[in-house]
Amino acid sequence: MAAGKLIFNKASGGVLNVTPADGVTSTNLVLPLSGTVATTADVANAIALGGRDVYLGSYGLTWNETTGVYTRIGAENYTAIQSNMKRCVLNADGSVNYYLSATDSNYKADGTAADLTGASGNVMVEIPKFYIRYGYTTTGGGGSDTVHSWEISQTPDTGFAEHWAFTRGTSVAKRYYPAYQGYSTGSKLISRSGVYPTTSLTLGQFRALSKANSITNPSTGQTVNGYWSNIDFALYEAITLLMIIEYGTMDIQSALGKGRTMLSGGSWVGSELIGATGLSNAFGNRTANYTYTGLSTDASADLSFMSYRGCENFFGNVWRMADGVIFLGTTNNKSMWFSTNPSTFNDTASGYTQVAGVSTASSPGYGRKLASTDKGFIITDVAGGTSGNGTTDYYYTSTTDATVALVGGSSNDGLAAGPLYLNVDIAAASAARVTVGCGVSF
């Protein structure tokens, strides 16, 4: 870094793109300052005032499951990895056609008009690889308190492992989550603005539509550079982890907003209980929320949405199926089986790997306890759980075998909805519901 000075390239919405004077590297940093040049002392002061986007080392969160207390751990800049999430339009081969403006997705990063219709590629959110260190301990008198810890890093530091979302048959440097809930057109499931999400298809039908985005060998979904597939559970859980660490709580509805989850009445059709895609466009990569509580047929209901760093309606609106995981068992307690290779995704868990020691809760309810695993936030007990205590999101189960993971909840689920809302009560092979959609990922 030349002379320890940083040049402000651009200011918009309080976010400045900061480039060291020698041009070696760049990053995003929230700086509540003015001017064109800042010293390193200015930057340190900005961090102290709330800028959290410069990577200073691994960071994370602990949750005392017994007491409900959260504690931040590691470096103080707890949005450094999250700040690298950004919207783009992705080509069929997995290359980026162009990035979108950080503050308004109606424009490309260069300021010219963007095409969000899918004609130029799927509108996606890029998520660079990160590494995780998960811990599970008992503390207190006689080991009475159970504590989970989640710590993330940009680099494979000692004790950290690549998050399982970045293993797609082989290790990948980036993943792409849909900016919008999936829409079926021309025998493909795409991510585009200005339509109502497609519902009422089975997991297998959605899988075929997602794979059809591939430019070679569509029968397996393989392309030159990777795979198109349904949203996979690993990727959904990766973003959930980033969100929880950022807000310091699993109660995301209280921290971020309730999104499109508080509607009632009406039918499961577009412009009533099912909302259109694209309401987040004017916010770009920024997190946003508008919640309307009332009838789905009211005009204001059409405006209700949430978006987490470009991932519109990450929870709410319609449920989304998460592929690559199947829950087995003819009792309410189910074992969890997974695959990270989209070419092997199926409805029965054939060839999948069991997550050791994981058994889901035996009855439905708000989650109170979590499994000891780095493979997501899996609810193991609901006793004592409420919308404000425990995981704060709901859990459904049944005696049906080989069930799909439905995540996020829908527009009329209220406080039960959220990123940890997990439904494992419907058979993967037949789970076609008017309340359930999916999405495409790469």
Side-chain angles (χ1 to χ4, degrees):
M1 182 179 293
K5 292 186 177 181
L6 302 175
I7 297 175
F8 295 178
N9 289 339
K10 183 172 95 172
S12 180
V15 179
L16 303 180
N17 187 12
V18 180
T19 305
D22 57 6
V24 172
T25 187
S26 64
T27 186
N28 289 327
L29 173 65
V30 176
L31 291 173
L33 302 173
S34 60
T36 58
V37 179
T39 66
T40 51
D42 291 329
V43 174
N45 182 55
I47 292 173
L49 290 173
R52 300 292 180 186
D53 291 354
V54 171
Y55 186 71
L56 300 176
S58 63
Y59 59 94
L61 195 69
T62 69
W63 178 52
N64 187 316
E65 185 177 87
T66 307
T67 66
V69 174
Y70 294 91
T71 304
R72 293 198 179 277
I73 56 176
E76 62 179 311
N77 285 9
Y78 50 81
T79 59
I81 292 173
Q82 294 91 326
S83 68
N84 290 319
M85 296 171 63
K86 53 187 175 182
R87 281 182 171 178
C88 63
V89 174
L90 201 65
N91 292 317
D93 64 359
S95 62
V96 173
N97 189 349
Y98 50 82
Y99 289 101
L100 297 173
S101 165
T103 56
D104 190 339
S105 296
N106 292 298
Y107 299 94
K108 300 177 183 179
D110 64 9
T112 59
D115 174 15
L116 306 179
T117 67
S120 299
N122 282 306
V123 187
M124 309 294 286
V125 179
E126 182 179 276
I127 304 159
K129 181 191 295 188
F130 64 88
Y131 300 82
I132 180 173
R133 177 165 61 191
Y134 169 76
Y136 179 88
T137 59
T138 54
T139 63
S144 58
D145 286 7
T146 298
V147 179
H148 302 262
S149 65
W150 302 272
E151 195 170 2
I152 55 177
S153 171
Q154 284 186 346
T155 54
D157 301 340
T158 301
F160 286 78
E162 178 181 273
H163 191 282
W164 62 308
F166 298 92
T167 304
R168 298 279 279 175
T170 184
S171 178
V172 296
K174 299 174 182 177
R175 290 295 312 277
Y176 294 89
Y177 186 87
Y180 314 112
Q181 293 181 315
Y183 173 71
S184 175
T185 180
S187 75
K188 294 180 182 180
L189 190 68
I190 66 172
S191 175
R192 63 154 294 178
S193 177
V195 293
Y196 295 105
T198 297
T199 63
S200 302
L201 298 178
T202 66
L203 179 64
Q205 288 172 323
F206 276 124
R207 190 182 294 134
L209 292 170
S210 291
K211 288 181 178 182
N213 284 279
S214 305
I215 58 173
T216 59
N217 198 14
S219 63
T220 62
Q222 188 172 14
T223 71
V224 174
N225 297 320
Y227 297 90
W228 286 99
S229 72
N230 289 338
I231 295 169
D232 53 285
F233 190 73
L235 181 58
Y236 189 86
E237 293 297 294
I239 299 171
T240 298
L241 174 63
L242 294 176
M243 188 183 300
I244 289 170
I245 290 176
E246 177 167 349
Y247 287 98
T249 179
M250 286 183 275
D251 189 1
I252 298 300
Q253 280 197 334
S254 293
L256 188 159
K258 297 178 176 62
R260 191 180 177 85
T261 64
M262 303 299 289
L263 302 180
S264 58
S267 302
W268 285 99
V269 295
S271 81
E272 292 189 20
L273 284 170
I274 300 178
T277 63
L279 293 176
S280 63
N281 289 348
F283 297 92
N285 300 334
R286 295 173 292 178
T287 296
N289 178 82
Y290 174 75
T291 298
Y292 177 74
T293 301
L295 294 175
S296 68
T297 51
D298 292 346
S300 293
D302 290 339
L303 306 177
S304 201
F305 80 101
M306 61 77 58
S307 183
Y308 174 68
R309 293 187 176 271
C311 303
E312 183 180 279
N313 288 330
F314 188 73
F315 60 86
N317 198 27
V318 295
W319 287 91
R320 54 219 52 78
M321 294 183 182
D323 215 342
V325 64
I326 296 292
F327 290 84
L328 297 181
T330 54
T331 64
N332 287 335
N333 298 98
K334 298 187 183 302
S335 57
M336 175 181 172
W337 297 73
F338 76 95
S339 170
T340 59
N341 188 338
S343 67
T344 68
F345 287 177
N346 62 78
D347 297 345
T348 63
S350 175
Y352 281 25
T353 300
Q354 184 175 5
V355 181
V358 170
S359 179
T360 65
S362 60
S363 58
Y366 285 95
R368 182 61 188 89
K369 295 182 179 180
L370 292 173
S372 171
T373 180
D374 63 357
K375 296 295 187 292
F377 296 85
I378 312 300
I379 295 167
T380 59
D381 194 3
V382 299
T386 68
S387 61
N389 184 49
T391 70
T392 73
D393 293 342
Y394 212 77
Y395 161 80
Y396 273 110
T397 187
S398 72
T399 57
T400 302
D401 195 15
T403 59
V404 62
L406 306 182
V407 293
S410 61
S411 61
N412 65 356
D413 278 322
L415 296 178
L420 278 77
Y421 197 2
L422 178 63
N423 182 325
V424 295
D425 77 336
I426 305 174
S430 59
R433 301 288 189 275
V434 70
T435 60
V436 179
C438 195
V440 65
S441 71
F442 189 91

